[in-house]
Amino acid sequence: MNKPVTDKKAQNKTKQGKKGFFDFLYTDIAIDLGTANTLIYSRNEGIVLNEPSIVALNQQDIPVATGHEARLMHERTHKKIRTIRPLRDGVIADFEVAEHMIRGMIKKVKVKWFSSTRQMVICVPSGITEVERRAVRDSAEHAGAKEVYLVDEPMAAAIGIGLDVHEPVGNMIVDIGGGTTEIAVISLSGIVYAQSVRLGGDELNDDMINYFRRNHNLLIGERTAEKIKCEIGSAAPLDEELEMITKGRDLVNGVPRTRHITSKDAR
């Protein structure tokens, strides 16, 4: 009775050994496709890329830049180049551009020219539809992945911060992203209840732009609002308020103007 089991274990070890021998030909990666930023994790290397989810295209719809390079062009392009954010509210809004972005970012982290992507894990919002899930899967497969696995963002966040998701204990996760906020209760390796709200960091940026327009007659761009939010933004009053100087266009005179602002303005 024990002999077949032993033989089976030996066969599994042999298979694992063969699989490991060819590992250098493949790359296993995980991608967090975010509305604002995209992260790529590579097996045995950790996080190898963290760049904005944006693509710059020319008039023939050929990508000329992705990530940081495309972000530098955002709001500063001429008629021959346009910048596009292919993800809206945490899901793919432009299928083709998203595929270009995934390809471009994988190419940035690809060290060995002969290696290919074997397994790809992608984080997706828990509230997306089956059609949206299919769009993510198709984009990844067209980008060259042999096997694609989709993981709900709250579960990935729970594992990432070290929670033991296998225990029969309820843990609530609140994951605030650029386009969506994920709220989920996790227990016994599954999501008991989840709610995906299509509000996130992008809404904060829009609120900040509207605030400066209404209260200071100053027009600031999306990049400036993001910078203010990240550098001096706060949810509660601080013991020592932070300060910075920002630039924008005076809506009264129509000329550029600088203004001294504090974290109270951002809040």
Side-chain angles (χ1 to χ4, degrees), residues 105-239:
M105 290 187 173
I106 291 176
K107 189 176 180 180
K108 284 186 178 183
V109 300
K110 191 174 180 181
V111 179
K112 302 171 185 175
W113 63 269
F114 54 82
S115 66
S116 61
T117 304
R118 177 174 53 191
Q119 296 178 329
M120 185 184 295
V121 178
I122 301 182
C123 296
V124 294
S126 57
I128 66 173
T129 64
E130 286 301 320
V131 175
E132 291 168 336
R133 283 180 177 269
R134 188 184 298 275
V136 175
R137 187 183 298 276
D138 290 346
S139 294
E141 289 176 349
H142 291 163
K146 303 288 188 300
E147 301 175 23
V148 180
Y149 302 94
L150 303 184
V151 179
D152 290 332
E153 288 178 357
M155 181 63 75
I159 296 171
I161 62 175
L163 281 179
D164 189 353
V165 297
H166 305 295
E167 290 186 354
V169 178
N171 292 297
M172 177 176 282
I173 297 293
V174 180
D175 181 8
I176 302 176
T180 57
T181 297
E182 300 286 326
I183 306 165
V185 176
I186 294 174
S187 178
L188 291 172
S189 304
I191 295 178
V192 180
Y193 181 79
Q195 182 70 42
S196 182
V197 184
R198 304 249 167 148
L199 295 171
D202 288 347
E203 296 292 327
L204 296 177
N205 292 347
D206 293 339
D207 291 340
M208 210 165 287
I209 292 171
N210 293 331
Y211 170 82
F212 283 101
R213 182 189 289 117
R214 290 194 309 265
N215 295 274
H216 300 292
N217 289 324
L218 188 69
L219 180 63
I220 62 174
E222 182 185 339
R223 293 179 60 198
T224 303
E226 178 80 11
K227 184 179 179 181
I228 294 171
K229 180 183 70 178
C230 294
E231 293 189 6
I232 65 171
S234 67
L238 305 174
D239 294 333

Side-chain angles (χ1 to χ4, degrees), residues 51-116:
E51 296 196 7
S53 304
I54 189 167
V55 182
L57 303 173
N58 60 17
Q59 288 180 314
Q60 289 75 39
D61 288 338
I62 298 174
V64 295
T66 58
H68 287 309
E69 294 86 353
R71 182 61 185 269
L72 293 174
M73 301 177 186
H74 189 52
E75 297 178 341
R76 298 178 179 180
T77 60
H78 49 78
K79 62 181 180 180
K80 293 184 180 180
I81 294 180
R82 56 196 176 98
T83 55
I84 298 177
R85 294 175 62 179
L87 287 98
R88 289 291 176 187
D89 298 330
V91 297
I92 293 178
D94 193 316
F95 181 84
E96 292 185 4
V97 177
E99 184 180 327
H100 287 315
M101 185 185 75
I102 295 173
R103 282 181 181 273
M105 290 187 173
I106 291 176
K107 189 176 180 180
K108 284 186 178 183
V109 300
K110 191 174 180 181
V111 179
K112 302 171 185 175
W113 63 269
F114 54 82
S115 66
S116 61

